[in-house]
């Protein structure tokens, strides 16, 4: 069954609930306008799945957290230690945002566009086709990909060993047949 990637309305609503407070001060406390601002920012990331939606929300939250920490760090009544801590937090939040941006971009490259046809089954049960299908069916971690590759290599080695055994058995049978047709002198 082919399914186009979709987002869940409940998850979108929950994410908007989390993001809306970031915009309340900018819209004079209007909750509906704050949710709409969050929705517009999320839409800019073009999330197609719940996972992409969550990544986009994290990018927004970390970006605004970093900006908030930086803006607070310029207050005149802060000690040097407080300023450095706020700037360090802003830097950490920015790194987290960048990591989520890379993860979102990777997800969007791995997941097909809704208009693309996804394969329901592998082309055959051959190890190479199974490994190829597994790689394209769902995003896998590096460990999962390596495991699938090892499994495919082992299956190929088993097939080669079976072919060698069959060839040896055929050679032995041929020698036996040849020896039985030629009586010893």
């Amino acid at each position: 069954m082919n399914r186009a990637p979709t987002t869940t309305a409940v998850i979108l609503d929950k994410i908007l609930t989390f993001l809306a407070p970031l915009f309340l001060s900018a819209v004079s406390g209007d909750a509906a306008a704050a949710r709409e601002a969050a929705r517009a920012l999320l839409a800019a990331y073009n999330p197609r799945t719940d996972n992409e939606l969550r990544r986009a929300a994290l990018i927004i939250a970390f970006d605004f957290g970093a900006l908030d920490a930086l803006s607070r760090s310029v207050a005149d009544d802060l000690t040097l230690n407080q300023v450095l801590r706020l700037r360090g937090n802003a830097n950490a939040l920015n790194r987290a945002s960048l990591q989520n941006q890379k993860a979102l971009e990777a997800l969007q490259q791995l997941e097909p566009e809704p208009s693309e046809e996804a394969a329901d089954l592998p082309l055959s049960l051959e190890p190479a086709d199974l490994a190829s299908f597994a790689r394209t069916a769902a995003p896998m971690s590096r460990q999962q990909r390596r495991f699938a590759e090892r499994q495919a290599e082992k299956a190929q080695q088993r097939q080669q060993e079976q072919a060698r055994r069959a060839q040896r058995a055929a050679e032995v049978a041929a020698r036996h047949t040849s020896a039985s047709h030629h009586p010893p002198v």
Side-chain angles (χ1 to χ4, degrees), residues 50 100 110 148 174 181 183:
D50 291 337
N100 278 285
L110 287 176
H181 289 296

Side-chain angles (χ1 to χ4, degrees), residues 114-179:
S115 62
E116 293 180 11
E117 291 284 328
D120 284 336
L121 296 173
L123 298 175
S124 73
L125 296 179
E126 293 298 315
D129 288 337
L130 289 172
S132 175
F133 175 75
R135 273 188 234 107
T136 58
M140 292 191 288
S141 69
R142 192 177 76 139
Q143 291 89 358
Q144 289 171 324
R145 275 194 314 277
R146 185 63 188 129
F147 177 77
E149 290 167 0
R150 281 193 302 261
Q151 293 298 99
E153 289 169 6
K154 287 179 183 179
Q156 186 177 16
Q157 289 170 352
R158 283 192 295 273
Q159 285 179 341
Q160 289 172 348
E161 183 61 30
Q162 288 173 346
R164 280 194 292 269
R165 286 182 185 162
Q167 183 179 5
R168 275 188 256 154
E171 289 171 359
V172 167
R175 274 189 252 139
H176 179 56
T177 305
S178 173

Side-chain angles (χ1 to χ4, degrees), residues 15-54:
I15 288 174
L16 290 173
T17 301
F18 285 134
L19 292 178
L22 295 174
F23 305 99
L24 280 174
S25 63
V27 292
S28 304
D30 183 355
R35 284 176 65 86
E36 188 52 40
R39 184 187 312 274
L41 264 178
L42 281 171
Y45 289 96
N46 193 28
R48 298 168 298 175
T49 65
D50 291 337
N51 197 14
E52 290 179 9
L53 185 64
R54 184 178 57 82

